Amino acid sequence: MPKETTRIAIIGAGPAGLLLSWALRDAGIDSIVVENRSQDYVLARIRAGVLEQGSVETLTRLGLGARLATEGLVHDGIYLQFAGERHHIDFADLIGRTVTVYGQQEVVKDLVAAHTNAGSTIYYEAADVAVHDLTSTSPRVTFTLDGEQHDITADFVVGADGFHGVSRASIPTEAIMLYDRSYPFAWLGILADVAPSTDELIYALHEDGFAMHSMRSPSVSRLYLQVDPAGDIQNWSDERIWDALQRRLGIPGWTLHEGVITEKSITPMRSFVASRLDYHSLFLVGDAGHIVPPTGAKGLNSAISDVTQLAAGLVDHYAGDDTTLAGYGEAALARQWRTQQFSQWMTEMLHRHPGDLQSAAFDYRSQLGQLDYLTTSLHAQRSLAEQYTGLPL
Ligand code: RFL
Ligand code: PHB
């Protein structure tokens, strides 16, 4: 039975786990990453697309910014569209900050390449991953790989294994509370081989529901539609998707260019926060500890901010100072609740709320009033700009 020791055992090779391992390596702290999927699967996953300015700075500081600097698309703002009109919110003008459109998949690709070059230990396709002895100072992670049982002893275990992982579930139920809410809508997302029809992202509230135009590169567009969470992707032909996008995004004098759809899927929306991100020798980062609906583009950015804070705590710990590490959970949760509020606000403002005719009509008109205020008040726009481009750690 292979037995190993390391300082930090990290569960999950998504962006959070890979970035933490990389930040620790940069500080001379060894770690091992254990992932239950294959490397190909991890590299193929298409998810978030917008990096806050602070996330770009973190990736660049850690030597991961080369491709991001050349291929990332810097956006000065976003468009908000409602009642048939499109309004530009210029973050750069408003508060001097920007965001960068660079797919999560590209971030993961850069991280995998960096780790491969550096010879990091990452176990992919690990089965039956389990954590043990979390209340001790030598917790363990076990798993099976090619029929062989592995056993890693560490100083700390970090759960970077997403919402469905084993880490959070290993905290005794009486020691943790879970706050969550679901939404009566989901996003149907597509990738299409067509140049974006817009220079910056369009978030649109239409009578038929939310729609959004994002992008991945000068030749690949990413678009989303609000759909019923019980909806079946089989019922969404390419033609039906483009028709709905044309209706919800169309304004006079502007053309939405269509292209071959290369990927389509439906993702439910959820807000979720665990009451704690630390439990003795275990720390949670990213989706393992919290989830936001994607409307504010915060999921990946929150994972990066958790990792930045936890890495700083671990570095100080090994330098003999435990203050930052002891404060990690509270500090990360404080930022997360502010991010939750923003994501919930963006989501509720921009989606059609189902309900009886009268209450749905009231909600819709109230949302139009909110958007009207937002697009005519500089104070409101600065608040949106500050939150969208990223709150300080
Ligand atoms: P991830 O990316 O889910 O990575 C967790 C990793 O842990 C592995 N894992 C395990 N490994 C070992 N043992 C186990 N028992 C394990 N269980 C799971 C998984 O295979 C995976 O490799 O979490 P992380 O690193 O915290 O990163 C967070 C971001 O991925 C996430 O916040 C965002 O992508 C959220 N999100 C989106 N955010 C946006 O801002 N915009 C989007 O358009 C957007 N689209 C999405 C999304 C999340 C999605 N999920 C999670 C369902 C679309 C989807 C489909
Ligand atoms: C994306 O490009 O996938 C994207 C962009 C902004 C969001 C959500 C998703 O708010």
Side-chain angles (χ1 to χ4, degrees):
M1 172 166 85
K3 275 185 184 262
E4 290 174 271
T5 55
T6 188
R7 282 184 155 175
I8 317 293
I10 300 171
I11 307 180
L18 291 172
L19 183 64
L20 179 65
S21 176
W22 186 254
L24 293 174
R25 166 178 278 276
D26 188 60
I29 300 169
D30 63 290
S31 66
I32 293 176
V33 182
V34 179
E35 163 65 46
N36 64 356
R37 302 285 194 158
S38 69
Q39 190 184 79
D40 285 349
Y41 183 93
V42 165
L43 284 167
R45 231 166 2 202
I46 299 161
R47 286 183 177 174
V50 174
L51 293 177
E52 293 173 354
Q53 191 165 314
S55 299
V56 172
E57 285 159 9
T58 299
L59 294 170
T60 305
R61 177 170 51 79
L62 291 170
L64 298 160
R67 215 159 55 86
L68 171 58
T70 54
E71 295 177 28
L73 307 168
V74 177
H75 284 195
D76 283 350
I78 55 169
Y79 295 99
L80 288 179
Q81 183 173 317
F82 58 98
E85 283 184 20
R86 190 171 296 166
H87 306 256
H88 191 235
I89 310 290
D90 197 313
F91 305 149
D93 264 6
L94 287 160
I95 59 159
R97 292 177 76 78
T98 59
V99 292
T100 299
V101 175
Y102 191 68
Q104 177 169 329
Q105 209 179 354
E106 305 308 315
V107 174
V108 170
K109 216 184 281 176
D110 293 342
L111 279 163
V112 167
H115 278 298
T116 305
N117 272 337
S120 307
T121 307
I122 303 177
Y123 292 106
Y124 290 97
E125 300 183 71
D128 306 320
V129 178
V131 296
H132 313 270
D133 309 332
L134 288 179
T135 54
S136 80
T137 51
S138 46
R140 291 181 305 120
V141 174
T142 57
F143 57 97
T144 42
L145 189 63
D146 299 327
E148 211 173 26
Q149 176 83 7
H150 286 245
D151 190 326
I152 301 173
T153 304
D155 297 343
F156 298 102
V157 173
V158 177
D161 47 352
F163 181 69
H164 299 287
V166 292
S167 308
R168 190 187 62 252
S170 315
I171 300 176
T173 48
E174 64 278 11
I176 190 168
M177 292 235 315
L178 308 177
Y179 303 100
D180 71 342
R181 99 202 290 285
S182 59
Y183 296 86
F185 28 77
W187 275 16
L188 188 165
I190 63 161
L191 265 188
D193 281 337
V194 58
S197 305
T198 177
D199 57 340
E200 292 182 348
L201 273 53
I202 305 168
Y203 289 82
L205 170 64
H206 185 273
E207 268 197 283
D208 292 356
F210 172 79
M212 173 165 157
H213 191 328
S214 182
M215 60 195 73
R216 284 294 176 272
S217 74
S219 57
V220 177
S221 296
R222 175 93 169 133
L223 296 111
Y224 296 96
L225 280 173
Q226 175 184 351
V227 297
D228 189 323
D232 183 349
I233 194 71
Q234 302 303 329
N235 295 333
W236 285 90
S237 66
D238 292 4
E239 194 189 356
R240 182 175 173 209
I241 292 172
W242 284 118
D243 282 353
L245 287 167
Q246 293 286 2
R247 256 180 73 72
R248 297 187 199 181
L249 288 170
I251 51 168
W254 177 80
T255 307
L256 173 62
H257 299 290
E258 301 184 5
V260 174
I261 295 179
T262 55
E263 203 266 348
K264 58 179 165 183
S265 58
I266 293 179
T267 310
M269 291 178 125
R270 173 188 292 130
S271 296
F272 159 80
V273 188
S275 62
R276 62 194 302 170
L277 299 178
D278 48 8
Y279 176 73
H280 300 278
S281 298
L282 172 73
F283 295 100
L284 303 177
V285 288
D287 278 14
H290 40 71
I291 299 265
V292 283
T295 327
K298 292 297 176 212
L300 172 60
N301 291 298
S302 295
I304 293 175
S305 86
D306 283 357
V307 166
T308 307
Q309 296 188 75
L310 182 59
L314 289 168
V315 169
D316 284 1
H317 167 80
Y318 287 110
D321 178 358
D322 271 332
T323 324
T324 323
L325 193 59
Y328 162 72
E330 209 176 315
L333 279 178
R335 186 177 193 274
Q336 177 54 211
W337 275 112
R338 288 192 271 159
T339 300
Q340 286 287 336
Q341 169 279 133
F342 173 69
S343 303
Q344 180 185 357
W345 172 70
M346 284 283 279
T347 300
E348 293 185 340
M349 177 170 68
L350 287 164
H351 290 75
R352 281 306 310 265
H353 297 260
D356 61 74
L357 269 182
Q358 208 175 350
S359 71
F362 182 93
D363 285 345
Y364 182 56
R365 271 157 191 78
S366 169
Q367 288 165 259
L368 293 178
Q370 195 173 20
L371 282 159
D372 188 28
Y373 167 63
L374 180 53
T375 50
T376 51
S377 160
L378 277 181
H379 299 292
Q381 286 172 42
R382 286 209 182 91
S383 170
L384 167 65
E386 183 180 42
Q387 297 183 85
Y388 194 96
T389 60
L391 293 169
L393 286 190

